[in-house]
Amino acid sequence: MLASTLLSSLIAASATVQAAPFFASRPPPKALAKRAEPKTWQSHVSDVQIHESCNASQSAYLRNGLDDMKRIAEHAHDRILTLGEQDPLYVKYFGNASSAAASGLYAQIVWGNKPGVLLRCDNPDGNCAELTSAGPWAGHWRGQNATEETVICEPSYANRLHLASLCWDGNEIGVTPASQWLAADLLHRLMHIPSVTYNHVEHAADTYPDVLALAASNSSLAAYNQATFQLYALDAYAQDVAFPPSGCVGAEAHIPTEEDDGHSHSHDAGASSSSSAAPAASATVPAEMTIGNAEASATASAAESCHTHGDGEVHCS
Ligand SMILES: *[C@@H]1O[C@H](CO)[C@@H](O)[C@H](O)[C@H]1NC(C)=O
Ligand SMILES: *[C@@H]1O[C@H](CO)[C@@H](O)[C@H](O)[C@H]1NC(C)=O
Ligand SMILES: *[C@@H]1O[C@H](CO)[C@@H](O)[C@H](O)[C@H]1NC(C)=O
Ligand SMILES: *[C@@H]1O[C@H](CO)[C@@H](O)[C@H](O)[C@H]1NC(C)=O
């Protein structure tokens, strides 16, 4: 039977994992919102699932991206537990925030129970045609239509970088936008799934200099700031694995100045948009998060990923 074949090939081979029955039955009629699946003590699904609408090549690509996402999130978690709060890299991104909060969020990404959390490759809400200034959306959270689900659109396959490209060919931290790496992009998408991080992750600062300024000015915001988690994870992986010991913050990476206050949108790497200047496309999906496409260029501005929050605010990073 198709469904059971899919389940056995898509769900992690962990002994504790049990098949969630979410696509053993027909999808609900479009008008009905799909609700979050209950978490039970008997069933722990730590892997994100890939919907049957993804073909073999899309599934392999996304599974690889999810594996890379777990790799950097687990590494970030382990580095925090190993080196603690005095680690200069920790202080750089999280200031004096509690490392319990920071490491715990990575733990939720890697080990949290995620029944029903999935990526899908069809376009059930018709949003893949929506445009940002950088082109069609690369994907979007389904919001109230299905809170556990994220749609991946075509540009995610064309434009994202593999983790192996970190520190190669000018793909450097602070220069290449974090979401350009599929692993960091998926980290962002998962951080907005309510059943994974429970709506605690916010957008207080998006660009590299703003993230560093936020750590120095307001650690309690840094500890829940989306881009902080992306950049710390990439930087830690770069220093320890990809290009030890120094990692690869780009020479052109903008160092924070007094103008970067962690709330303003600075002009990093040519970024010129602000939340108020964000593309209007997202306004068609209030209360939903979307993440736009970003160009593959290493000089691409950091302003190409846009999404809308529950409060209707549009953020571009
Ligand atoms: C999967 O879909 C993509 C996008 O439509 C296509 O480019 C690719 O060739 C397909 N792969 C397979 C194995 O069908
Ligand atoms: C963290 O730093 C801020 C700003 O310097 C300070 O106000 C706060 O008391 C510090 N918190 C802790 C727990 O050290
Ligand atoms: C939810 O579904 C409706 C109807 O299909 C669609 O118009 C809307 O854009 C969807 N929301 C999201 C966030 O995709
Ligand atoms: C940090 O930001 C929060 C939320 O905006 C605010 O309530 C708090 O006062 C800020 N703390 C500092 C030290 O600026």
Side-chain angles (χ1 to χ4, degrees), residues 75-277:
H75 181 80
H77 170 272
D78 291 354
R79 177 164 172 136
I80 292 171
L81 291 195
T82 301
L83 299 183
E85 296 182 5
Q86 265 67 57
D87 176 21
L89 194 71
Y90 183 84
V91 175
K92 172 183 174 182
Y93 287 99
F94 293 103
N96 63 2
S98 164
S99 57
S103 65
L105 203 128
Y106 288 119
Q108 289 177 324
I109 296 287
V110 179
W111 298 290
N113 192 8
K114 307 182 191 69
V117 174
L118 72 124
L119 305 179
R120 58 189 301 155
C121 300
D122 52 0
N123 185 11
D125 304 315
N127 285 330
C128 288
E130 296 283 347
L131 294 173
T132 69
S133 56
W137 283 4
H140 70 95
W141 178 48
R142 295 198 65 204
Q144 297 315 310
N145 290 343
T147 55
E148 314 302 297
E149 300 191 2
T150 299
V151 176
I152 302 295
C153 310
E154 204 58 37
S156 284
Y157 306 103
N159 295 337
R160 295 292 188 253
L161 297 169
H162 292 292
L163 184 57
S165 76
L166 183 62
C167 304
W168 286 34
D169 293 335
N171 294 312
E172 296 171 323
I173 292 161
V175 179
T176 301
S179 289
Q180 200 76 45
W181 282 283
L182 182 62
D185 180 55
L186 292 172
L187 186 68
H188 181 186
R189 294 181 190 284
L190 274 202
M191 280 190 278
H192 286 294
I193 303 293
S195 71
V196 177
T197 57
Y198 305 95
N199 300 313
H200 291 298
V201 178
E202 316 219 5
H203 290 265
D206 289 329
T207 66
Y208 179 75
D210 282 353
V211 160
L212 302 198
L214 186 67
S217 68
N218 196 326
S219 311
S220 40
L221 283 178
Y224 294 97
N225 181 51
Q226 189 286 131
T228 299
F229 283 95
Q230 285 184 313
L231 284 164
Y232 173 82
L234 288 171
D235 211 344
Y237 193 82
Q239 286 196 7
D240 299 331
V241 181
F243 207 73
S246 50
C248 60
V249 171
E252 309 98 285
H254 174 71
I255 305 303
T257 66
E258 288 100 59
E259 286 166 36
D260 302 305
D261 63 11
H263 295 278
S264 72
H265 290 248
S266 75
H267 302 285
D268 180 45
S272 60
S273 84
S274 67
S275 54
S276 58

Side-chain angles (χ1 to χ4, degrees), residues 1-11 19-25 52:
M1 164 83 205
L2 180 63
S4 58
T5 311
L6 276 166
L7 283 170
S8 56
S9 62
L10 295 180
I11 293 177
F22 74 97
F23 51 49
S25 58
E52 58 194 347

